[in-house]
Amino acid sequence: MKIVVPVEGESLKIVTRTGRAPFFAIFEFVGDDFKLLELRENAHAKEHEEEESSRGRGVGHHEEHSEKEIEHHHQHLKLAKLNECKYLVHRALGKNMKDAVKKIGMIPVKVSKKDGDDALEVLRKYKENFK
């Protein structure tokens, strides 16, 4: 079974805003532990980073909750091939991302910042959720 966690990069530090995570860490639950399979770039985050840099940094981005935005997120999840993952471990999901995650068939598992920053450490704490 595969599990995805939004992270900054090779450090595997969990990113709070799932849709803005630079990478998705893909883990597999093998035996009684987790194995990192790969990091996949989050094209959605990269797209919005480029938009913000062209508009100037201090400008926030707000997406309306709509079928169009849900489909936009859904396409990015499919592009990253996250539909092969059963669970998405996250700290925060916006409405559009949450609906896109459900549409792709993943089960969201919410964790807290107090659980730690390291994806592998957090997965081990929540191991019982993945059996």
Side-chain angles (χ1 to χ4, degrees):
M1 150 193 9
K2 293 183 181 176
I3 301 158
V4 61
V5 184
V7 297
E8 286 183 1
E10 291 180 11
S11 70
L12 299 181
K13 182 177 179 182
I14 297 175
V15 174
T16 298
R17 290 188 64 202
T18 301
R20 297 307 174 99
F23 295 93
F24 293 114
I26 310 299
F27 291 89
E28 188 166 26
F29 192 47
V30 180
D32 199 35
D33 205 3
F34 299 89
K35 176 183 174 187
L36 176 65
L37 299 177
E38 65 181 300
L39 290 177
R40 295 185 187 161
E41 187 174 44
N42 179 3
H44 181 261
K46 188 173 184 174
E47 176 183 290
H48 287 293
E49 182 180 293
E50 290 169 1
E51 284 176 9
E52 288 175 4
S53 66
S54 69
R55 288 190 313 227
R57 282 277 169 212
V59 178
H61 177 75
H62 174 72
E63 297 171 341
E64 291 184 32
H65 187 234
S66 68
E67 283 301 317
K68 180 180 175 186
E69 288 298 330
I70 293 166
E71 184 57 29
H72 175 77
H73 286 286
H74 181 247
Q75 291 304 316
H76 280 291
L77 293 174
K78 284 176 40 179
L79 181 66
K81 298 179 183 169
L82 298 186
N83 53 325
E84 66 187 32
C85 300
K86 184 171 181 177
Y87 296 98
L88 168 71
V89 174
H90 69 93
R91 286 192 183 145
L93 284 178
K95 290 179 183 179
N96 294 319
M97 182 62 82
K98 186 175 187 176
D99 287 347
V101 164
K102 288 180 180 177
K103 186 174 182 177
I104 209 164
M106 281 191 291
I107 300 166
V109 176
K110 186 171 176 61
V111 297
S112 170
K113 184 143 177 82
K114 69 180 177 183
D115 294 317
D117 286 326
D118 181 83
L120 189 54
E121 173 187 324
V122 172
L123 286 174
R124 288 176 176 150
K125 285 182 181 179
Y126 281 81
K127 187 186 311 190
E128 296 303 314
N129 289 303
F130 307 114
K131 291 188 176 185

